[in-house]
Amino acid sequence: MGKTTYKRLKGSQSFRQRLLLATLSSTPIIIDEIRADDMIPGLLRHEMSLLRLFETVSDDCVVEVNETGTRLKYKPGIIMGGKNLVHSCALTRSMGYYLEPLLVLGLFGKKPLSIRLKGVTDDPKDLSVDTIRNATLHILKRFGVPSEGLDLKIEARGVAPEGGGEVLLTVPNVQSLTAVQWVEEGMVKKIRGWTFSARVSSDFEHSMRFAARGIFNNLLPDVHIFNDHKSGPAAGKSPGYGISLVAETTAGCYISADTAVSCGRTEETGEIDVERRERKPAEDTGVEIASWLLQEIEKGGVVDSTHQGLLFILCALCQQDVSKVRVGTLSNHGVETLRNLKEFLGVTFSFRPDPSTGTVILTCVGSGLINLSRKLS
């Protein structure tokens, strides 16, 4: 056993991706100066929670954090997966924050993953659980992930600040991911939406649905928005409502937009959000998300801007073959992802702007990551 060499990184940016890529590529990392100059230095609650989650699904990983939380030493273990796992997420971020890396980790586990997450299901910052179920899982299927065993069940809703939601995620294992040639966007053929309301009147949902339908009905006939009014224990601990819209194209692309509105109290940091003070009527939320979806469709690309990071990671993990994908405007998150992929997996993408549509075509050769821990049947 030689001495472990650690990759040294600085700062708190793209913490999730660094952990994920370090784990997949079995690279031990040290991150220094994590918010060293901030009022509240060190790792935040949800980042610590994410580390605990990585510990839950893997075996033999070593996490060392100094007293102030500004320095993290992480040595990845073997991704185990497994059944009946439970993780309580920190309530400062919603489950989308934890589910995105989990989906990729689960694929390369030793056993299929089945985990129950508890906490906040929907917030304005991260992907909502509806979007993950109805858009993100379809993106994974493109890369050869089998659809049986890939599922997200929403058992209880939870909005900030108290949470109380519960979801059950199951992810199958793959030997390796297949490279994709995914440049055809197609035309939007149908729009599906999911609204929810928890501990508030279901009128909020009707208003959002009515407003969103009002925009889409002029454009295409096949629009359906489902409602999901929860009460009792399934409604979680805080009042709120939200909407998630997904447009499906003829070429099998899924473009999404979502948000959630919490009618709860202020955050515990004592900061009163401006939007909390003056909450918009629910119709405005419906109109806003519908317009946002149309903007995402207008930008072009086979995924929306929130899924760019995931798309690039999946391309980079493919077998050693050329993947080619089309995206709209590169988001900051997408650019950050490309940098991290180059650093951890040594995968570089080549760009080719397509001026006629205003999109970018990215090409890369996958790193050929093979799931070594999975039992060969």
Side-chain angles (χ1 to χ4, degrees):
M1 289 294 289
K3 187 168 172 286
T4 317
T5 46
Y6 286 88
K7 189 187 248 318
R8 290 184 170 270
L9 304 163
K10 279 185 181 174
S12 61
Q13 67 277 13
S14 57
F15 180 75
R16 277 192 308 174
Q17 279 186 0
R18 284 171 167 182
L19 272 190
L20 174 64
L21 295 173
T23 312
L24 290 170
S25 61
S26 308
T27 315
I29 54 171
I30 291 179
I31 305 181
D32 285 307
E33 298 175 27
I34 302 174
R35 300 193 181 82
D37 306 333
D38 284 20
M39 278 278 289
I40 306 170
L43 292 167
L44 298 173
R45 250 182 247 166
H46 51 264
E47 296 170 334
M48 285 306 292
S49 183
L50 189 69
L51 279 168
R52 297 282 162 271
L53 179 59
F54 273 60
E55 283 181 346
T56 308
V57 296
S58 55
D59 202 7
D60 204 27
C61 77
V62 184
V63 175
E64 292 172 25
V65 182
N66 68 354
E67 282 175 28
T68 50
T70 51
R71 183 170 195 266
L72 163 74
K73 196 170 174 183
Y74 174 70
K75 182 168 176 261
I78 298 165
I79 309 163
M80 293 301 281
K83 290 192 182 66
N84 307 331
L85 303 174
V86 179
H87 179 72
S88 294
C89 305
L91 301 177
T92 40
R93 294 288 287 262
S94 80
M95 286 177 191
Y97 177 82
Y98 306 91
L99 285 167
E100 276 183 275
L102 253 189
L103 283 169
V104 184
L105 268 188
L107 295 174
F108 293 95
K110 190 168 183 177
K111 302 190 188 92
L113 174 71
S114 163
I115 186 166
R116 186 178 293 277
L117 297 181
K118 300 179 177 183
V120 177
T121 53
D122 302 81
D123 74 355
K125 217 185 247 172
D126 299 295
L127 289 175
S128 92
V129 283
D130 290 304
T131 307
I132 290 178
R133 198 178 82 198
N134 302 305
T136 315
L137 296 185
H138 289 294
I139 295 173
L140 290 178
K141 288 175 192 168
R142 273 277 165 155
F143 289 85
V145 178
S147 32
E148 57 271 11
L150 183 65
D151 191 26
L152 180 67
K153 287 196 183 75
I154 302 164
E155 303 195 341
R157 288 279 172 189
V159 269
E162 302 281 319
E166 211 168 287
V167 301
L168 182 65
L169 173 75
T170 52
V171 184
N173 300 135
V174 293
Q175 189 60 45
S176 63
L177 295 172
T178 30
V180 291
Q181 296 287 323
W182 196 12
V183 286
E184 282 306 308
E185 301 155 322
M187 304 294 277
V188 175
K189 63 174 179 182
K190 64 181 183 188
I191 290 178
R192 292 288 175 264
W194 292 264
T195 60
F196 78 89
S197 53
R199 298 196 173 275
V200 292
S201 153
S202 58
D203 295 350
F204 286 114
E205 290 188 72
H206 294 306
S207 311
M208 283 191 296
R209 293 216 309 278
F210 188 73
R213 289 282 303 263
I215 290 180
F216 295 138
N217 280 353
N218 306 332
L219 304 170
L220 77 167
D222 191 356
V223 181
H224 199 96
I225 303 181
F226 304 93
N227 60 336
D228 175 20
H229 176 65
K230 291 268 198 269
S231 58
K237 298 175 185 164
S238 296
Y241 55 89
I243 182 168
S244 156
L245 297 171
V246 178
E248 189 186 336
T249 70
T250 48
C253 306
Y254 292 82
I255 310 288
S256 63
D258 64 60
T259 193
V261 179
S262 160
C263 309
R265 297 191 308 280
T266 55
E267 312 211 342
E268 64 251 43
T269 48
E271 294 172 30
I272 298 174
D273 281 3
V274 184
E275 56 180 1
R276 299 263 169 88
R277 279 266 186 84
E278 304 167 4
R279 204 162 44 244
K280 299 192 291 286
E283 297 90 85
D284 293 11
T285 307
V287 169
E288 197 180 289
I289 293 299
S291 319
W292 185 21
L293 181 67
L294 294 177
Q295 274 171 12
E296 287 287 1
I297 294 168
E298 184 190 14
K299 281 180 193 164
V302 293
V303 295
D304 52 71
S305 50
T306 47
H307 282 97
Q308 281 181 15
L310 179 70
L311 179 72
F312 298 155
I313 288 175
L314 292 170
C315 287
L317 294 175
C318 282
Q319 66 219 40
Q320 289 178 323
D321 198 355
V322 178
S323 283
K324 192 170 168 190
V325 290
R326 181 194 296 268
V327 293
T329 325
L330 272 172
S331 62
N332 296 343
H333 176 60
V335 174
E336 192 73 31
T337 308
L338 294 173
R339 288 189 187 129
N340 291 332
L341 288 169
K342 184 176 178 186
E343 188 167 4
F344 280 96
L345 301 173
V347 172
T348 43
F349 284 74
S350 62
F351 296 72
R352 199 180 87 231
D354 182 354
S356 60
T357 56
T359 55
V360 186
I361 293 176
L362 289 102
T363 325
C364 81
V365 176
S367 64
L369 183 73
I370 292 171
N371 186 351
L372 295 171
S373 51
R374 176 181 143 180
K375 291 194 184 75
L376 296 171
S377 51

